[in-house]
Amino acid sequence: MAHAAMEETIDVLAPTAKMARLLKHRHQQNWMVITTNTGDWVLLKPGTGGLQGDVLMPDLFGETYEEKLQDWITWKELNTTGNIYAVDPITGERVEIGTTVYADDVNELAIARSAAETEDFERLSTQKLNAGLYVLKLGQNMMKAELSGHYMGPGSRCEYQKAAESEHLPGRWTPCPRYLGNWLHHSGSCAENIERRKRAMQEGYYNCRGFWARPGIPHEHKRGMFLSMIYNTGLSGMECEQPTWTQVQELENTAMHYARKVLGAEGVRVTAEGERHNKSNEEIRRLLRLTNMHEELRIRKLNWLQNIINFFIFFY
């Protein structure tokens, strides 16, 4: 994201001019060194992006990026048809609900009667969004853009075939687009998500297997990596689910399994007879200073609900 765009956001949100100068200082003094195998190097001053680990960047990105998205949504309401609306039950206002955003991912839902209408709507919408993002030195990755549709009534199969074969759509037509959120079974079960979380913990452990086995790594560093790659991965997105006690216990058992592997010899007790026994889950949690996943999930659910309540208090 362009520094100039971020600075405009800082000027608006910063409580004082001094605070604005301090916030701008981080990226204004950002320099980059590029070296080669021959020892040559060049010093560059980038005009976009932020420093790795800058905790301010997510909020700054969101405030700057979402303003352009709101301009785009407003433009669609005034200049296109096929948008989807609902009535806000609290304010009674009509709200456009066809566009959903998570971080930098955008999902657009609209109504079209034919493949030709789909092409026109998506072409105009994409052009307008790219124009707004260009000001921020951003752009859509059209190689990753996916489109899908479902036509109804007479000739629906023909329209679907036209859309699938179209060369003018801004993206790849697919019958089953990638879904980045949680999967909810029609019965309300979140068993599929539980299995995905368990697989994600397994991947987190084996992706860092060289780190766990390296001798001399401080205990705190191992704990930090375990929290990031395994423990938090197992609970990612579970705040909005309704798992049973048994399902949460499956996540807890999986986390404890990899916690023992991470601790290695520290997770084993040797008896006077020389027998080796795994330490209890309570002892493992004490060594890594962990909370039982049942309690941790309750805390995260309460924080999640608190954020929702605070949102309505702030806006209404």
Side-chain angles (χ1 to χ4, degrees):
M1 179 175 289
H3 290 171
M6 293 192 294
E7 289 176 6
E8 289 179 6
T9 302
I10 291 173
D11 288 334
V12 173
L13 298 179
T16 63
K18 181 180 179 180
M19 180 64 72
R21 289 195 302 271
L22 290 172
L23 294 174
K24 294 175 185 178
H25 183 268
R26 291 184 64 82
H27 59 262
Q28 287 177 343
Q29 299 302 319
N30 185 8
W31 294 86
M32 181 186 301
V33 178
I34 300 178
T35 60
T36 65
N37 294 333
T38 60
D40 298 326
W41 60 274
V42 61
L43 183 64
L44 300 176
K45 189 179 190 310
T48 61
L51 296 171
Q52 185 176 5
D54 188 348
V55 296
L56 178 66
M57 281 304 298
D59 292 330
L60 188 54
F61 176 87
E63 291 288 344
T64 309
Y65 173 67
E66 290 177 10
E67 180 183 354
K68 295 300 180 184
L69 289 182
Q70 188 57 54
D71 292 343
W72 169 61
I73 292 171
T74 303
W75 178 88
K76 288 199 303 174
E77 293 176 359
L78 298 174
N79 297 277
T80 62
T81 58
N83 300 302
I84 302 175
Y85 299 92
V87 176
D88 189 320
I90 297 178
T91 64
E93 297 178 355
R94 193 179 72 153
V95 181
E96 198 271 343
I97 61 171
T99 306
T100 52
V101 180
Y102 182 77
D104 60 346
D105 293 319
V106 179
N107 180 69
E108 187 178 24
L109 187 65
I111 300 172
R113 292 172 295 181
S114 65
E117 277 192 18
T118 303
E119 287 182 8
D120 292 340
F121 180 89
E122 289 300 329
R123 186 179 66 255
L124 288 173
S125 177
T126 301
Q127 288 175 353
K128 183 61 179 178
L129 179 57
N130 280 335
L133 295 178
Y134 179 78
V135 178
L136 307 180
K137 296 297 185 286
L138 297 175
Q140 297 185 76
N141 185 350
M142 304 314 298
M143 299 295 292
K144 294 173 63 178
E146 293 185 341
L147 299 98
S148 185
H150 179 69
Y151 299 99
M152 302 178 67
S156 59
R157 184 168 298 182
C158 179
E159 292 298 330
Y160 184 91
Q161 191 67 25
K162 289 179 182 178
E165 296 174 354
S166 174
E167 297 180 355
H168 304 291
L169 285 171
R172 181 174 64 90
W173 185 272
T174 174
C176 185
R178 287 171 296 176
Y179 177 61
L180 303 179
N182 289 347
W183 290 97
L184 182 64
H185 193 264
H186 62 81
S187 65
S189 170
C190 59
E192 174 63 24
N193 277 336
I194 297 297
E195 292 302 316
R196 292 176 70 183
R197 292 299 94 213
K198 289 161 63 177
R199 288 195 298 270
M201 285 193 279
Q202 180 184 43
E203 292 172 3
Y205 173 80
Y206 286 106
N207 286 342
C208 299
R209 56 184 177 273
F211 176 82
W212 313 123
R214 190 178 304 166
I217 295 179
H219 182 81
E220 284 300 314
H221 293 182
K222 280 191 175 183
R223 176 181 179 273
M225 284 290 288
F226 176 81
L227 287 174
S228 175
M229 301 299 297
I230 299 175
Y231 189 82
N232 289 329
T233 299
L235 291 174
S236 177
M238 295 304 297
E239 298 91 341
C240 54
E241 299 286 358
Q242 297 298 322
T244 63
W245 187 93
T246 304
Q247 289 173 329
V248 179
Q249 189 60 36
E250 288 181 33
L251 297 177
E252 169 73 9
N253 293 340
T254 304
M256 290 298 100
H257 170 72
Y258 291 113
R260 287 188 172 85
K261 295 171 78 70
V262 166
L263 288 172
E266 289 185 78
V268 177
R269 182 190 304 107
V270 181
T271 65
E273 293 78 19
E275 297 179 350
R276 296 168 60 88
H277 298 282
N278 287 333
K279 292 182 179 179
S280 67
N281 286 352
E282 191 65 34
E283 291 176 287
I284 296 296
R285 283 194 290 268
R286 192 180 302 113
L287 285 170
L288 291 173
R289 303 204 310 278
L290 300 175
T291 306
N292 184 296
M293 277 198 168
H294 293 273
E295 296 180 9
E296 179 66 23
L297 189 55
R298 291 191 194 103
I299 294 170
R300 295 191 180 197
K301 280 179 176 288
L302 288 172
N303 288 333
W304 180 60
L305 291 171
Q306 187 180 38
N307 287 334
I308 294 174
I309 293 169
N310 288 338
F311 173 84
F312 281 101
I313 291 175
F314 181 79
F315 283 98
Y316 299 109

